[in-house]
Amino acid sequence: MTLIGMLHHRKDPNTVIKSYAYAVVAMAEGADFIYFTPKSVNFDNQTIEGYEYKNGSWQERITPFPDVIYNTGSPEKLEVSKDIINQLKETIPFTTVSLGNKWTINERLIKGKEFSKYLIPAKVLKEWNDLTEFLNLYTDVVVKPMDGRKGQGIYFIKTCDKGFIVNKDSQDKTYTKNELKEFFYTLLEENTYIVQPYIISKTKSGLAFDFRLHAQKNREGKWVITTIYPRIASDCTIVTNINNGGYTNYLLPFLNQEFSEEEAYNIKRTLEYFTLALARHLDELQMLEFSEVIDEIGIDVGLDENQKLWIYEVNWRPGCPPAFYLELDVVRNTIQYALYLANNHDKVKQNIRQFKKRDMEKRKVPIIAVTGSAGKTTTKSFISSILKTRWNTFESKDYWNRTDHTQIHADLINTSHQAVVLEYGMGFPGVITEHCRIIQPNISVITNVGMAHIGNFDGDIKGIAKAKSELIHGTKKNGILFINKDDENSKLLEIDQFKGKIITIGIKQPADYRAYNVSYSNNGMKFNVKLHNKEWSFFIPIYGEHHVYNALNAIAVADYLGFSPPEIKSGLLFKKPPRRLTVYHLNQSLTLIDDSVHSTPQGVVAAIDVLKNISPSRKIAVLGRMIGLGDRRVEQYQKIGQYLVKQGIDIVITYGRYAKGIGLEAINAGLPPENFKHFLDEEAMHEYLLNVLQENDTILVKGASIMNMFNTVQFLNSVIGVKE
């Protein structure tokens, strides 16, 4: 049985009149119902200590977490518990999400354009001139609190011969200009107000009126009209709200009384169409901005003397209509929609993603996905940094490259983003296909095909290439693919059936984008690239020829998207991902290279190259074990041992199970045995390092993340000290 939770700020449900109606209707719909507050949530055992309505009274009960939560209560009072509420939202669907205040909704509708023509001109009041500007333009204005409810705090201001007439709560008061100015600033001290021209919407007898349009989602998750009814103000006031003396009528009798038969029919049809159309529009805007759906709105609209429709305001949690059967309709729709959401939450989330996907396609947003055995994060960071010189760019967070991360990113992308740059990790077949199912790229980059995770592919590099090729198959058919011409294993990629455009990058081989004159310089790499038949010099603030390849991918993508060479040069001065060949200058003229975030055979070789090229004296490699190599481990460890000697590394230190094979092969290749040391104990390794280090040494620290090699970096930084 589905358990519906009613979240409220008040502890006692007896003080919340509507709680009884929701409990009874839930029971009638075959659902369990629990009333609770944020303080009654226990995350340790996933339970709630709340209240159920049973045998004519509210009784305490401990239940598992609800299947769905009806979000009610005061948003302001629930704000103190936002951390608890946000944690609940991570796993439990919520109904009744916030649309914000009057001004926020206005801004959203302006941005959405479709309904902006129905908005009354408005301005947030900050200075006296803001009010006088509207009085000069419109003569009669309405001033109301931005977060007002139930028609409270509304002022009608009218210019007159003696100055200004201010009406509040049916009372007129005349002010001089100075008196009104003083009153105005008193108001601003109390609250934030907006000003709007007064739209004349009056009955034949001269009473102000408006219409309340109430829409909800039903048991099928579809928008329905709960009710439409007129609200008529009492004499001498413009406030139609029932709490301030207004009253209501049934729609048809009111329309027939105030308009001709044809006009009444047309107005009724217009109001019905408008209600559902605006509800759907706001729902779509909520999906695009916040990856949420709304399920209930109250819209207050007026008709001017020309029968033009104007939106007074939109409420995301409107009060119940003042008729008992309508109140039950509201409750019934709420409960039935809660049941729908509980049983279709995944479907709703998928619908949101599909809608956002269609929106990005319509706006032609570049969606760039980066994969590869090495260089993914740095390439992603380079691309994002360049695109951010001009565009609002969404970039996948840090090293977040799993499919569950892509799910999170899909929810965070909104209409403000002009480009999306994502990193797609892969450990097994089918993973990249899942990434592309969640967010399909139209531009894809495969940095290289290497040994990372090869143990999961029976030691076959072709299996890695096939899995990386899932990005090719998952990219839009008319998309763009960037590949590394110099990478031998990239020739195994399945590009034959790709119908889009393929662009190549390289250093050694001819390519569409080729770097030359590559050299080490202070704190990074220099190289040249020809763009549009003109030579440009570039600099990246990170060491290693392998990072030139990463930068080349970014240059190629940015150039394809129309970014200028100066914009590209500026963007390449990026914020380097942490623990990626980060260089520390320590006391005693020691240099420390931190490359401890990840480790693959390709990455180790590249890091050794950096160690060789920036070291002024002795070169020390501290290497932790690599994982995921399977049967290829011995072979790859041996190659690294040989490469250490080839590059003239003076001292080799290995850490962790199996890593000893690297040093033993280095000895076989010519490294003096006394210059190799293997450790299984981190503290012993650190003690040895302190004894072996000499002035002007350069130390590389690299290993799989599971080895926590960053501990060694922190140890050296703290004990020896970083230069000021």
Side-chain angles (χ1 to χ4, degrees):
M1 187 177 288
T2 302
L3 175 61
I4 300 174
M6 179 176 180
L7 175 64
H8 203 280
H9 64 274
R10 293 181 187 169
K11 182 179 179 181
D12 186 358
N14 291 295
T15 63
V16 182
I17 298 174
K18 65 180 181 179
S19 61
Y20 165 76
Y22 284 93
V24 170
V25 172
M27 190 183 307
E29 293 290 334
D32 278 340
F33 185 87
I34 188 78
Y35 176 100
F36 72 102
T37 65
K39 291 183 179 179
S40 65
V41 177
N42 188 323
F43 287 105
D44 292 334
N45 56 20
Q46 301 280 289
T47 60
I48 283 174
E49 188 174 347
Y51 294 85
E52 67 172 344
Y53 194 80
K54 190 175 182 180
N55 299 327
S57 66
W58 289 101
Q59 300 178 17
E60 291 188 23
R61 179 187 172 193
I62 296 176
T63 70
F65 276 0
D67 299 297
V68 61
I69 293 175
Y70 167 46
N71 182 25
T72 187
S74 163
E76 293 79 15
K77 292 179 180 177
L78 287 172
E79 178 67 18
V80 296
S81 304
K82 64 180 180 181
D83 291 341
I84 295 172
I85 294 171
N86 287 337
Q87 195 170 341
L88 287 171
K89 284 182 176 179
E90 290 177 5
T91 54
I92 304 172
F94 272 54
T95 70
T96 323
V97 300
S98 172
L99 283 175
N101 58 38
K102 296 177 179 66
W103 190 251
T104 303
I105 296 172
N106 264 33
E107 288 184 322
R108 198 175 302 180
L109 289 173
I110 291 170
K111 185 177 179 182
K113 297 181 181 178
E114 187 177 337
F115 284 82
S116 59
K117 63 184 177 183
Y118 300 104
L119 292 172
I120 302 172
K123 189 172 187 177
V124 176
L125 290 172
K126 296 180 180 178
E127 300 292 339
W128 168 247
N129 289 341
D130 296 332
L131 180 59
T132 57
E133 174 191 336
F134 266 63
L135 284 168
N136 290 334
L137 285 171
Y138 304 107
T139 306
D140 301 348
V141 301
V142 177
V143 173
K144 53 187 177 183
M146 185 181 290
D147 295 306
R149 295 195 69 197
K150 299 182 178 180
Q152 297 176 349
I154 295 177
Y155 297 86
F156 170 59
I157 304 177
K158 181 177 182 178
T159 305
C160 66
D161 293 338
K162 295 182 180 180
F164 305 92
I165 297 174
V166 178
N167 181 288
K168 182 179 185 293
D169 300 334
S170 304
Q171 301 294 319
D172 283 348
K173 185 174 181 180
T174 303
Y175 289 82
T176 65
K177 180 178 179 180
N178 288 334
E179 288 172 340
L180 182 62
K181 187 174 183 180
E182 184 178 347
F183 174 70
F184 168 81
Y185 281 112
T186 302
L187 277 184
L188 293 194
E189 289 177 2
E190 299 171 355
N191 208 333
T192 302
Y193 284 81
I194 61 175
V195 61
Q196 294 176 316
Y198 174 54
I199 303 299
I200 298 174
S201 187
K202 291 188 175 181
T203 65
K204 291 176 180 178
S205 59
L207 299 178
F209 78 92
D210 61 24
F211 296 101
R212 164 59 63 89
L213 321 176
H214 196 137
Q216 291 178 281
K217 284 184 178 171
N218 63 8
R219 65 169 70 243
E220 297 173 351
K222 296 179 180 178
W223 283 104
V224 293
I225 297 171
T226 307
T227 184
I228 298 175
Y229 58 93
R231 304 187 305 178
I232 302 99
S234 59
D235 198 13
C236 301
T237 182
I238 63 168
V239 180
T240 61
N241 195 285
I242 299 161
N243 296 81
N244 283 271
Y247 64 94
T248 68
N249 197 344
Y250 291 101
L251 180 62
L252 276 177
F254 176 82
L255 292 177
N256 290 331
Q257 173 184 305
E258 300 294 332
F259 303 96
S260 69
E261 183 178 346
E262 182 180 355
E263 287 175 329
Y265 175 81
N266 289 335
I267 291 170
K268 179 177 180 292
R269 292 294 300 271
T270 297
L271 291 174
E272 290 170 344
Y273 174 81
F274 190 86
T275 303
L276 294 176
L278 181 54
R280 295 187 187 108
H281 182 63
L282 285 168
D283 204 12
E284 291 172 353
L285 295 179
Q286 191 78 5
M287 287 191 276
L288 293 175
E289 294 295 325
F290 302 103
S291 293
E292 297 174 331
V293 291
I294 60 175
D295 52 86
E296 181 178 16
I297 58 168
I299 312 158
D300 296 337
V301 299
L303 286 176
D304 64 18
E305 60 267 32
N306 300 314
Q307 294 187 16
K308 173 176 167 50
L309 205 62
W310 293 95
I311 298 174
Y312 288 163
E313 63 184 58
V314 179
N315 300 287
W316 58 275
R317 188 152 46 188
C320 287
F324 185 70
Y325 79 91
L326 289 177
E327 183 175 351
L328 281 181
D329 283 348
V330 172
V331 177
R332 187 180 297 111
N333 282 335
T334 301
I335 293 298
Q336 290 176 352
Y337 176 71
L339 291 170
Y340 168 83
L341 188 60
N343 296 317
N344 296 275
H345 189 216
D346 290 339
K347 178 183 175 182
V348 170
K349 289 168 67 175
Q350 186 59 32
N351 289 342
I352 293 171
R353 293 191 184 109
Q354 289 299 318
F355 184 78
K356 292 175 72 172
K357 176 183 175 182
R358 290 192 296 272
D359 173 73
M360 286 193 288
E361 289 174 350
K362 182 179 177 182
R363 293 190 291 121
K364 297 182 179 179
V365 175
I367 303 172
I368 303 155
V370 182
T371 195
S373 296
K376 293 186 295 295
T377 303
T378 307
T379 299
K380 174 205 69 176
S381 299
F382 271 134
I383 295 172
S384 298
S385 182
I386 297 171
L387 300 191
K388 285 175 183 177
T389 62
R390 192 198 307 170
W391 290 345
N392 180 15
T393 302
F394 180 88
E395 176 185 0
S396 58
K397 185 178 178 181
D398 299 331
Y399 301 110
W400 283 28
N401 62 18
R402 302 196 311 260
T403 53
D404 59 323
H405 295 146
T406 302
Q407 296 270 17
I408 294 171
H409 294 144
D411 294 337
L412 296 176
I413 297 166
N414 60 47
T415 53
S416 71
H417 296 121
Q418 298 166 282
V420 175
V421 188
L422 306 166
E423 179 181 338
Y424 286 176
M426 182 281 298
F428 297 91
V431 173
I432 292 180
T433 296
E434 177 63 12
H435 279 296
C436 294
R437 185 194 66 78
I438 300 167
I439 304 178
Q440 184 182 31
N442 46 42
I443 297 175
S444 293
V445 179
I446 301 179
T447 59
N448 46 53
V449 177
M451 295 290 176
H453 307 296
I454 198 165
N456 298 333
F457 294 87
D458 297 324
D460 186 359
I461 194 67
K462 292 179 181 178
I464 297 281
K466 185 175 181 63
K468 296 295 182 190
S469 296
E470 292 175 16
L471 184 59
I472 300 172
H473 307 315
T475 302
K476 288 190 72 68
K477 291 181 180 179
N478 60 344
I480 311 297
L481 173 66
F482 294 82
I483 58 174
N484 186 341
K485 195 74 176 292
D486 291 349
D487 181 52
E488 192 66 24
N489 292 330
S490 289
K491 295 177 182 177
L492 301 171
L493 292 169
E494 299 171 354
I495 62 174
D496 295 343
Q497 297 179 357
F498 185 64
K499 302 301 182 183
K501 184 176 181 180
I502 298 175
I503 297 174
T504 59
I505 62 103
I507 298 175
K508 300 175 177 62
Q509 301 291 327
D512 297 313
Y513 292 86
R514 186 180 183 186
Y516 53 97
N517 295 336
V518 178
S519 63
Y520 281 75
S521 68
N522 289 335
N523 301 316
M525 307 294 294
K526 288 182 177 179
F527 57 96
N528 294 342
V529 178
K530 273 191 177 180
L531 297 177
H532 310 290
N533 297 317
K534 182 179 177 181
E535 182 178 283
W536 293 86
S537 61
F538 294 97
F539 170 79
I540 54 174
I542 187 170
Y543 288 118
E545 186 179 83
H546 60 302
H547 285 309
V548 175
Y549 284 103
N550 299 332
L552 266 177
N553 277 315
I555 291 169
V557 170
D559 183 61
Y560 171 78
L561 292 173
F563 282 71
S564 68
E567 288 173 321
I568 294 172
K569 290 183 73 167
S570 173
L572 288 176
L573 303 176
F574 74 145
K575 182 181 178 182
K576 188 167 62 65
R579 296 160 58 193
R580 295 277 185 177
L581 291 172
T582 301
V583 176
Y584 298 96
H585 297 287
L586 308 183
N587 295 324
Q588 303 173 32
S589 299
L590 294 171
T591 302
L592 173 61
I593 305 170
D594 172 17
D595 201 29
S596 60
V597 74
H598 190 46
S599 190
T600 65
Q602 281 174 292
V604 174
V605 167
I608 292 169
D609 285 343
V610 173
L611 174 60
K612 174 193 174 182
N613 279 282
I614 73 169
S615 176
S617 185
R618 286 201 316 170
K619 297 171 279 294
I620 301 174
V622 183
L623 304 177
R625 63 178 282 228
M626 292 174 280
I627 60 172
L629 296 178
D631 293 340
R632 303 290 290 271
R633 184 188 70 243
V634 174
E635 163 203 314
Q636 293 302 312
Y637 280 15
Q638 288 176 344
K639 286 183 178 180
I640 290 169
Q642 294 164 11
Y643 197 72
L644 285 163
V645 175
K646 180 181 178 182
Q647 296 299 85
I649 306 305
D650 299 290
I651 296 176
V652 176
I653 300 170
T654 56
Y655 173 59
R657 193 168 48 147
Y658 307 128
K660 188 175 183 178
I662 296 172
L664 294 178
E665 185 61 26
I667 291 172
N668 290 338
L671 180 75
E674 62 272 19
N675 288 0
F676 167 63
K677 196 77 172 176
H678 176 69
F679 292 93
L680 294 174
D681 181 82
E682 186 183 84
E683 289 186 12
M685 179 176 69
H686 291 170
E687 185 178 346
Y688 175 77
L689 264 172
L690 290 180
N691 291 327
V692 78
L693 288 177
Q694 297 177 7
E695 192 171 341
N696 294 319
D697 282 352
T698 301
I699 312 106
L700 166 68
V701 178
K702 186 165 183 64
S705 56
I706 196 173
M707 297 305 297
N708 296 318
M709 299 298 287
F710 188 58
N711 291 346
T712 300
V713 173
Q714 291 178 308
F715 171 78
L716 293 174
N717 282 343
S718 62
V719 174
I720 299 175
V722 179
K723 276 187 178 180
E724 296 292 336

